[in-house]
Each structure stands twice: as C-alpha cells, then as structure tokens.
Amino acid sequence: MTESHGRPRPGPAGSDGEPVYADRVYRSVPGVISGVLLLAVAAWLIGDAALNGSGKTPWVSLAAIPVFAFPVIAYTLRPAVRADERRLVVRNPLRTITAPWAAVDALRAGYSVELLAEGKKYQVWAVPVSLRQRKRAARARERGGEQHSSRLGMVLGAGGTPSGAGVQGSTDPNRAWSDQVVAVLQEMAERNASRPDAAGPVVVRWCWWIIAPTLAGLIALITVIAV
C-alpha cells in the first residue's frame, strides 16, 4: 500500500533482492467527482420519469439508462494510469493500453498528455492538462519556490489512499500536477526499460463492457421511441 504521506511502503524483496513497491495510480479527482454527481442527478431524473411518467415516458427513460450511464462512467470514473516496475497501464474511456517500459518511447504533456510507444501515439485521459495550473505554478516559482498545491488530481495507492497534493517521486513540486506526473512516469520508463521483465509488445484492449451495453441501449431507445 501507499502511506498517507505519499512515500511507497516497501514490500517483500523481489527476485533481484530489491524491495517491491506498490503500484502508482493517477486519476483526475474532479473528473471522478463530476461523474458521481452526473450519475446521481441522472438517477433522480430517470427514476422520477419512470415512476411518475405516463405513456411511453417510463420506457423511454429506462431505455436511456445505459445510453447515459455507461458513457459517463467511461469518461469520468474509468480513466486511470497505473505504473509499476514492469509496465504502464493507461485506462482510457473505451480502451486499455498496456505498455511494457521497454516499449515506451516517451511521455509528453502539451495541451494533453500523450504516450508514445512503438511508433504510435495514445492519449492519456486520466491526466488532464490545465493551462491555468501551469500559470499558477509559474507564479509560485517566481515568488521564490513556494510549493504549488495541485487541485486537478492526486496520487492514489493500490488501496485508494490519497497521498497528498504533490506527486510522489516528483523532484519539482512547483509544477502543474500533469507535468509532475509525466516527469515521474518518464523517469520510471528510463529507469525500468532495461529490466528483463519490462519487455514485450504494447497491448490494446477495447472496453466492450462499456461499448456493448451503450449500443444495445441506443438500439432499445430508438426502438421504444419509434414504436
């Protein structure tokens, strides 16, 4: 697990005699909060329509549940980045990219965070870039290195314990949260790329448990409205 102050707690020694640390998990906290609020509001509105509506309204509202709920889950609650000593796992709304460190060419943060691996580019949804945060971080550095407190995200340990506003392992807390995350992941890629267990191809898997119910709900919604 990861302790509340953000330092990884060493576990049992690995095969090379070095301690094994918990995975690092990054996600956008505002995204999660907005997703929970959207689902709560939708549950209230759809529930009211299903219970008190007349005619086709209850059926339309019920058919709309997967069309609304699954995309909200995909774009707000699902995105996350998990990194350990062997690989980087990027969980985007509709697919999951698993990239062993040896296959990672670079990570960069421009107007969005991108993973470059095996000549392909993948967006990293879980780490949003905020130009406003960058400006605030620059002002903090100009004031003499005053620590910049991030509001866009936080580091979570394997058990979901928040580790604070800064990014675990970052050498410059006076940077925007997304830039700190990218710097830490880039350093992990460079450090672990030569590990024998960090080799292999990039694997991309589509999230069918999101896609299939959404499409089925859309067909059902169109059918209910048309009939």
Side-chain angles (χ1 to χ4, degrees):
M1 293 188 60
T2 303
E3 297 177 355
S4 59
H5 51 59
R7 298 176 182 173
R9 181 183 303 163
S15 57
D16 55 0
E18 295 294 327
V20 178
Y21 292 94
D23 295 354
R24 296 184 182 183
V25 181
Y26 305 94
R27 66 172 73 241
S28 170
V29 173
V32 173
I33 294 174
S34 62
V36 172
L37 292 177
L38 283 172
L39 291 174
V41 172
W44 173 55
L45 294 175
I46 292 175
D48 180 69
L51 294 175
N52 302 319
S54 59
K56 293 193 299 184
T57 300
W59 300 107
V60 171
S61 61
L62 292 175
I65 291 176
V67 179
F68 180 82
F70 282 98
V72 169
I73 292 171
Y75 284 91
T76 61
L77 304 183
R78 172 176 156 79
V81 175
R82 181 183 297 272
D84 59 24
E85 295 179 335
R86 298 183 297 112
R87 61 187 180 179
L88 176 69
V89 179
V90 177
R91 201 169 68 191
N92 282 340
L94 299 181
R95 60 181 181 174
T96 300
I97 301 98
T98 303
W101 289 121
V104 174
D105 300 324
L107 287 114
R108 63 190 184 191
Y111 291 104
S112 64
V113 175
E114 298 173 340
L115 164 66
L116 305 179
E118 294 185 340
K120 296 183 179 180
K121 181 171 66 177
Y122 306 94
Q123 298 294 321
V124 181
W125 283 75
V127 186
V129 171
S130 171
L131 299 181
R132 182 178 179 182
Q133 274 224 345
R134 284 179 175 170
K135 292 179 181 178
R136 190 161 60 238
R139 289 196 299 269
R141 287 195 296 270
E142 291 173 357
R143 289 195 299 266
E146 179 181 326
Q147 185 169 355
H148 169 63
S149 177
S150 171
R151 297 179 183 273
L152 256 189
M154 64 197 326
V155 184
L156 299 180
T161 304
S163 65
V167 174
Q168 170 189 323
S170 174
T171 58
D172 186 3
N174 294 313
R175 300 175 68 187
W177 178 74
S178 58
D179 295 331
Q180 291 186 57
V181 171
V182 168
V184 170
L185 294 178
Q186 182 64 43
E187 191 274 333
M188 291 182 68
E190 295 171 356
R191 184 178 68 245
N192 296 314
S194 60
R195 292 174 58 95
D197 56 353
V202 176
V203 178
V204 179
R205 297 190 309 274
W206 289 94
C207 184
W208 291 108
W209 69 268
I210 292 283
I211 298 173
T214 302
L215 293 177
L218 182 60
I219 293 173
L221 180 61
I222 294 173
T223 301
V224 170
I225 293 175
V227 171

